[in-house]
Amino acid sequence: MPSLFDSVQAGDLQLANRIVLAPLTRNRAPDAIPTPLMAEYYAQRASAGLMITEATAISQQGQGYADVPGLYGSEQLDGWKQVTEAVHEEGGKIVVQLWHVGRVSHRELQPGGGQPVAPSAITAKTKTVLIRDGVPTFVDTSAPRALRLEELPDIVHTYQAAARNAVETAGFDGVEIHGANGYLLDQFLKNGANQRSDDYGGSIKNRARLLLEVTRAIADSIGGGRTGIRLSPVTPANDVHDSDPQPLFDYVVRQLAPLNLAYIHIIEGATGGPRELAERPFDYAALKAAYRAAGGRGAWMVNNGYDKALAEQAVKGGADLVAFGKPYIANPDLVERLFRNAPLNEPDKATFYGGGAEGYTDYPTLSNK
Ligand code: 8OZ
């Protein structure tokens, strides 16, 4: 029986253990350029079997928040190169999470001050963050416009170019496609946000088309074995909802199965909240069974509210990888702490988003109290 601390293969990635740094938005990249402080932060966490970066915009159109990093300009790629070098020096593995926010954005962040884009012109009842007088401030998202059919191939190509730049120029070990949490690809999947009547709306097959085209394009370009994807079947994050998520996501993972992806990353329940939602039941074991029955061999990664006991139970139950979010903010040496059953530092919510080293790179390790 494998333990959390045993090595595992995820596609082309040979991982030292099954503990993963979940993608965590930290808003510390002014002008969308990764900084030396970010390199230090990720290097501190390099004992994770795998690190997934914070969500990183593939284009300016894909930007939705102040001070989140991008992956489309040469300075951004150079900044990331410093991050991957620092991580590799520590023997870590790191993939970048590719992000297009779709409608979760604001005109101020969009090219030419235009409207954010979405499958349909439906405003999300959610907030984004802008800097006002130097202070991160929550504001309503701007009303989006529906993407035209002829714009979709360009979005696929933009994802593909970002993936290629990520591995070839920035030195990442792979990429994770952000298909979760109510951003563009999840907006296309779910019928609360997608009311299109063309080939990208209506049936499950049509709503899944963009996500699958993006994933196939990336897998073709950098190899499925370096490509992971994150999905959140029932999260209410960013005001997305599907009337019948089980057949939708069973279909998605069956279609992903032949792509030989490195991993499938599932957020169980409400992102950062309850693992079970009475009003949105979902059978995650059936989802995994659907993927395996269709021949999917990627590592199965689970996430949301895991502690050591729950993680060990998940690994015994057949999960290959467990992603930890909030515990990793406050515990750079989380692997060692879990291994030794050492107490964990508590994360400070006030410093989650924005700021500098405080609450970012200054959490103590066991050997440096
Ligand atoms: C927290 C704040 C802003 C963005 C996600 C990328 O939920 C995010 C995010 C989280 O996936």
Side-chain angles (χ1 to χ4, degrees):
M1 202 48 98
S3 102
L4 262 182
F5 306 97
D6 290 332
S7 63
V8 66
Q9 191 76 26
D12 293 351
L13 308 174
Q14 173 67 40
L15 308 180
N17 59 64
R18 292 151 190 264
I19 295 167
V20 176
L21 169 67
L24 295 164
T25 290
R26 305 302 305 274
N27 306 73
R28 282 168 167 84
D31 300 321
I33 300 169
T35 65
L37 189 67
M38 288 168 60
E40 185 184 340
Y41 163 83
Y42 284 106
Q44 286 176 343
R45 287 156 181 77
S47 60
L50 180 66
M51 290 190 285
I52 305 163
T53 71
E54 61 211 272
T56 298
I58 59 165
S59 62
Q60 195 187 338
Q61 186 192 68
Q63 286 278 12
Y65 300 81
D67 294 350
V68 297
L71 192 68
Y72 47 91
S74 60
E75 282 180 291
Q76 298 166 355
L77 291 166
D78 289 347
W80 280 124
K81 179 84 186 155
Q82 292 173 41
V83 173
T84 62
E85 281 174 358
V87 166
H88 290 149
E89 250 167 57
E90 295 295 321
K93 294 262 162 65
I94 184 165
V95 299
V96 61
Q97 194 192 45
L98 301 182
W99 195 25
H100 189 309
V101 296
R103 66 184 185 170
V104 186
S105 187
H106 192 280
R107 277 176 174 270
E108 275 183 34
L109 300 167
Q110 289 295 305
Q115 285 180 278
V117 299
S120 303
I122 305 168
T123 305
K125 289 183 204 67
T126 188
K127 304 270 184 193
T128 182
V129 177
L130 299 177
I131 306 289
R132 293 267 193 256
D133 300 323
V135 182
T137 307
F138 286 102
V139 295
D140 288 339
T141 54
S142 305
R145 67 173 178 84
L147 281 159
R148 297 185 303 278
L149 187 61
E150 61 271 21
E151 291 179 279
L152 298 181
D154 192 45
I155 289 192
V156 176
H157 289 139
T158 304
Y159 270 101
Q160 189 179 39
R164 194 178 303 124
N165 284 332
V167 297
E168 285 178 7
T169 307
F172 282 104
D173 297 296
V175 305
E176 173 174 289
I177 298 162
H178 194 342
N181 292 347
Y183 297 111
L184 184 72
L185 300 175
D186 201 27
Q187 290 159 28
F188 268 84
L189 286 177
K190 292 177 179 166
N191 57 16
N194 181 348
Q195 296 178 3
R196 299 177 75 92
S197 52
D198 60 13
D199 283 353
Y200 291 80
S203 65
I204 283 176
K205 188 174 171 194
N206 283 354
R207 283 182 278 126
R209 191 179 306 278
L210 185 65
L211 176 137
L212 294 171
E213 285 180 351
V214 164
T215 311
R216 288 184 193 117
I218 290 175
D220 274 353
S221 166
I222 67 164
R226 291 197 287 183
T227 306
I229 188 166
R230 191 179 212 209
L231 303 170
S232 55
V234 296
T235 192
N238 291 314
D239 194 28
V240 284
H241 179 258
D242 192 79
S243 58
D244 200 6
Q246 192 82 45
L248 170 63
F249 282 89
D250 288 355
Y251 172 82
V252 168
V253 297
R254 281 199 300 269
Q255 295 299 308
L256 294 174
L259 303 183
N260 293 321
L261 299 183
Y263 65 85
I264 310 286
H265 180 180
I266 303 293
I267 300 172
E268 297 159 335
T271 312
R275 295 178 40 75
E276 305 253 0
L277 300 172
E279 68 285 13
R280 298 186 185 196
F282 194 86
D283 186 342
Y284 297 97
L287 183 72
K288 179 165 174 246
Y291 178 64
R292 295 282 183 238
R297 297 197 313 269
W300 194 259
M301 186 190 299
V302 294
N303 171 242
N304 204 16
Y306 279 87
D307 59 13
K308 182 178 178 182
L310 202 56
E312 283 183 325
Q313 200 182 310
V315 168
K316 281 202 184 80
D320 303 298
L321 295 164
V322 182
F324 293 83
K326 279 178 235 150
Y328 244 131
I329 289 180
N331 297 279
D333 54 349
L334 185 67
V335 173
E336 191 185 351
R337 284 176 190 258
L338 293 180
F339 186 71
R340 291 214 231 155
N341 294 314
L344 300 183
N345 303 317
E346 281 305 312
D348 168 27
K349 282 207 174 80
T351 50
F352 278 6
Y353 306 114
E358 191 196 343
Y360 190 52
T361 49
D362 61 355
Y363 286 105
T365 57
L366 287 172
S367 56
N368 180 27
K369 279 231 174 235

